[in-house]
Amino acid sequence: MKLGVLSDIHGNKVALDAVLAEGASVGVDRWWALGDLVLMGSRPVEVLETLRSLPAIDFVGGNTDRYVVTGAQPLAHPTVDRIVGDVDLIRRYAEVAAGIGWVQGALLDTGLVNWLAELPSEQRLTLSGGERLLGVHASPAWDDGPGINPDSSDDEMAALLGDCDADIVVGGHTHLVTDRRVKGMRVLNPGSVGLPKRGTDASWMVIETDPNGVHVELRRTPFDTEAALRDVHERRHPGAEYLESMLRGTHRFAN
């Protein structure tokens, strides 16, 4: 079996199509989509329609999927003092709020908001060699928070994963590609399909089992960034400036 693992598509249909085409070319026969499916990109309906049309796919809900369902904002709200000292931060929070409203409007009358509300918090699979695979969005405990990060210490990662009863854990959320071992567990993150954080290619992974064990291939797939950005602007997306900085790789991250 070849399991393709996607996360953090964020409504980017151009990137998703590129990844699915490459997945077909390398023989992926089953997919996991680990959350953050629609916010912030320009094609939330089309992304969900494409994913839901795949013959073999399982889903996990992400924190931004929850924002679309509930209207909630990110967990770590900035303090007044921090806002005063960082004008860009308040603009970012305003863009998130506007983006939530924009996606809610796009999904109106499709029934897809209710579908997002029913997404599970995890997927589990026992591989052919008996290895227990767990798929989550951020961590086994929650869809938000620190998430699986290559820069976290082993102790931080062990605390995040807790007693999750798995041999391999794969999650998204941080947009940071990860393949490491932490206290007996293999810990994976495919990165982001729609909003890559380090680099501008869509990142995802293939997990394959054979008689020799479990093999993980981290993949990066180029996509037509200019086409994605044209669509963002043509659809008058309220987060166009932020999305452009992300897709062009010019956004400044804290880590």
Side-chain angles (χ1 to χ4, degrees):
M1 181 193 72
K2 282 191 175 183
L3 175 68
V5 183
L6 314 171
S7 192
D8 300 272
I9 301 163
H10 288 288
N12 186 338
K13 177 71 159 48
V14 175
L16 175 62
D17 285 346
V19 167
L20 293 179
E22 187 170 300
S25 74
V26 299
V28 170
D29 47 30
R30 183 172 181 177
W31 293 94
W32 275 6
L34 300 181
D36 281 10
L37 306 177
V38 293
L39 185 75
M40 299 272 298
S42 61
R43 293 286 172 178
V45 174
E46 293 83 352
V47 162
L48 293 184
E49 290 175 342
T50 297
L51 290 171
R52 281 157 44 100
S53 72
L54 295 173
I57 184 167
D58 299 294
F59 294 92
V60 166
N63 58 307
T64 65
D65 304 314
R66 175 168 51 83
Y67 302 161
V68 170
V69 171
T70 66
Q73 275 272 5
L75 188 64
H77 292 289
T79 63
V80 172
D81 289 343
R82 189 178 174 199
I83 290 173
V84 170
D86 191 345
V87 175
D88 180 64
L89 185 63
I90 190 62
R91 185 172 68 245
R92 285 276 307 280
Y93 270 77
E95 286 176 346
V96 170
I100 291 170
W102 191 92
V103 172
Q104 288 173 330
L107 298 182
L108 191 66
D109 298 327
T110 65
L112 292 171
V113 173
N114 290 335
W115 181 83
L116 286 174
E118 298 299 320
L119 290 177
S121 61
E122 65 176 41
Q123 290 291 337
R124 289 184 179 267
L125 183 64
T126 300
L127 303 177
S128 59
E131 303 88 352
R132 299 163 300 167
L133 176 64
L134 169 64
V136 298
H137 179 64
S139 75
W142 187 228
D143 66 13
D144 209 339
I148 293 172
N149 188 327
D151 304 322
S152 298
S153 70
D154 283 358
D155 286 343
E156 289 170 333
M157 287 304 307
L160 183 76
L161 298 173
D163 184 14
C164 62
D165 195 29
D167 303 301
I168 306 169
V169 180
V170 56
H173 187 58
T174 65
H175 299 206
L176 293 172
V177 172
T178 307
D179 185 354
R180 58 189 290 187
R181 295 188 181 274
V182 178
K183 299 190 175 180
M185 285 184 288
R186 191 169 186 180
V187 185
L188 307 169
N189 189 325
S192 173
V193 169
L195 290 177
K197 195 168 185 178
R198 292 177 181 170
T200 56
D201 293 342
S203 60
W204 58 291
M205 68 173 43
V206 176
I207 300 175
E208 183 176 9
T209 57
D210 63 26
N212 296 317
V214 178
H215 308 278
V216 175
E217 182 183 7
L218 300 168
R219 300 189 67 93
R220 293 191 182 274
T221 304
F223 63 92
D224 191 340
T225 300
E226 297 307 317
L229 288 173
R230 280 195 304 272
D231 196 55
V232 165
H233 288 288
E234 287 171 2
R235 290 174 65 81
R236 299 182 182 276
H237 194 288
E241 182 180 344
Y242 169 70
L243 289 165
E244 184 154 2
S245 72
M246 289 284 285
L247 292 177
R248 292 195 187 282
T250 61
H251 187 78
R252 293 179 295 107
F253 290 99
N255 57 349

